């Protein structure tokens, strides 16, 4: 059973870069056809798909975040990371990492495995 765990700072100052790491257990991030994604939920709003990285190290980004987002991986640690630059208070949200087997998808309900989420607040 694939398990995911987010980690990173809970508080980030405006204009800084948010960096989050997702540690995967129970499976390898290089296993064929798995896609590893970042999803967030701002307070009072729905889930937002931000982007994904594939088993083959291909990346996919939502147009809403593409200019500020980078997703990468460290296969030696079985981790993948999110970097979101130039953050503002509107980036305050619970951030989730998630995974699915199959084609990449920007539909959040297509993801089968989820971390518990980590709260990130952007404030001076």
């Amino acid at each position: 059973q694939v398990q995911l765990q987010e980690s990173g700072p809970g508080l980030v100052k405006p204009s800084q870069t948010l960096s989050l790491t997702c540690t995967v257990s129970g499976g390898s991030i290089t296993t064929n056809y798995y896609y590893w994604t970042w999803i967030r939920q701002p307070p009072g709003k729905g889930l937002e798909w931000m982007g994904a990285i594939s088993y083959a190290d291909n990346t996919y980004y939502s147009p809403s975040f593409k200019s500020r987002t980078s997703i990468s991986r460290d296969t030696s640690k079985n981790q993948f990371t999110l970097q979101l630059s130039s953050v503002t208070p509107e980036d305050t949200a619970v951030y989730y990492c998630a995974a699915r087997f199959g084609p990449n998808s920007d539909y959040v309900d297509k993801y089968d495995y989820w971390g518990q989420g980590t709260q990130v607040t952007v404030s001076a």
Side-chain angles (χ1 to χ4, degrees):
Q1 180 78 0
V2 173
Q3 294 181 315
L4 302 97
Q5 176 71 57
E6 305 90 349
S7 59
L11 180 64
V12 183
K13 296 186 185 307
S15 81
Q16 291 186 340
T17 295
L18 165 66
S19 294
L20 295 174
T21 297
C22 184
T23 301
V24 178
S25 59
S28 170
I29 61 172
T30 62
T31 299
N32 280 353
Y33 311 125
Y34 271 84
Y35 290 77
W36 310 89
T37 193
W38 288 97
I39 293 165
R40 75 178 192 180
Q41 186 168 29
K45 297 185 179 180
L47 294 165
E48 301 176 330
W49 182 84
M50 300 181 70
I53 188 165
S54 77
Y55 62 97
D57 204 22
N58 297 311
T59 53
Y60 310 83
Y61 298 105
S62 165
S64 299
F65 298 101
K66 186 173 183 178
S67 64
R68 301 194 291 134
T69 303
S70 177
I71 298 174
S72 60
R73 69 181 190 177
D74 184 336
T75 57
S76 68
K77 296 180 180 179
N78 214 35
Q79 296 175 332
F80 63 104
T81 62
L82 169 72
Q83 290 194 312
L84 180 66
S85 63
S86 304
V87 298
T88 72
E90 286 66 42
D91 293 309
T92 294
V94 178
Y95 286 76
Y96 298 92
C97 57
R100 73 183 301 265
F101 177 83
N104 180 48
S105 176
D106 58 359
Y107 288 95
V108 297
D109 60 355
K110 297 289 188 181
Y111 285 85
D112 304 306
Y113 307 100
W114 290 72
Q116 85 280 8
T118 187
Q119 172 70 47
V120 176
T121 300
V122 179
S123 174

